[in-house]
Amino acid sequence: MTETPQPQSTPHGTLTLTDVEAVARAAHASQTDKAGRPYTEHLSAVAEGVRARGGDEELIAAAWLHDAVEDDALSERWLEQAALSRRTKDVVRAVTKRAGEPPEAYAARILATPGALLVKEADLAHNADPERLAVLDEATRKRLTEKYARMRALLGLSSL
């Protein structure tokens, strides 16, 4: 797990969106997705998806960090101490899957946390992008397509 140093905060006491992006990019710099692409491309796409869906800066920050704790790129301790709004931290925690957690419990936590559904919707949209899935082997593509469709249904999101 990488401990990324804290950048400067804004006069309001929170990290700027530019700083959050830099932290996320540094934390995930060595990771790739299932297709071998830099993982930061996924983070950027989810952040842009949140922005396009009307998300504010707190939710865009959460989008940049949505996989950081789950992927052990940043620790829960880092998140707790980070100069981020409580809302951003709550959304990151809500979308962080826990080992052994049933999908229904995960979906319920997302639905119970204001803003988390928007971040998860953008995440699922990018994960299920046909161009992204097309480069995977058939078995992986089928498994992931079913997984994403099930989560969308649990969250009450319409089909893609």
Side-chain angles (χ1 to χ4, degrees):
M1 183 176 327
T2 305
E3 285 298 324
T4 305
Q6 289 272 32
Q8 294 295 317
S9 60
T10 66
H12 300 51
T14 57
L15 296 175
T16 66
L17 202 46
T18 300
D19 286 339
V20 171
E21 177 182 346
V23 167
R25 286 183 180 279
H28 291 274
S30 64
Q31 293 178 311
T32 57
D33 67 12
K34 290 173 180 64
R37 303 286 311 156
Y39 199 77
T40 55
E41 290 179 7
H42 172 64
L43 302 177
S44 180
V46 174
E48 184 51 41
V50 167
R51 183 186 321 271
R53 288 169 172 80
D56 60 22
E57 288 199 358
E58 289 179 328
L59 294 181
I60 296 167
W64 277 108
L65 298 170
H66 79 278
D67 280 336
V69 175
E70 182 178 318
D71 291 351
D72 289 330
L74 295 170
S75 68
E76 172 61 37
R77 183 169 183 249
W78 179 92
L79 182 64
E80 183 56 40
Q81 295 176 350
L84 297 165
S85 71
R86 175 59 45 202
R87 181 173 171 235
T88 296
K89 292 176 184 185
D90 288 348
V91 169
V92 172
R93 286 187 184 104
V95 300
T96 298
K97 283 184 256 171
R98 299 172 185 161
E101 181 177 37
E104 295 81 5
Y106 177 52
R109 186 174 61 253
I110 290 168
L111 291 170
T113 306
L117 182 60
L118 185 70
V119 173
K120 189 61 183 176
E121 181 180 17
D123 179 40
L124 287 168
H126 189 249
N127 283 339
D129 181 323
E131 288 183 23
R132 267 188 103 205
L133 291 171
V135 301
L136 303 175
D137 64 83
E138 185 177 340
T140 301
R141 184 172 50 249
K142 184 177 189 298
R143 178 181 60 79
L144 291 176
T145 298
E146 290 170 359
K147 174 184 167 183
Y148 302 146
R150 178 164 187 235
M151 184 53 59
R152 288 185 69 79
L154 289 170
L155 294 170
L157 297 170
S158 61
S159 298
L160 292 176

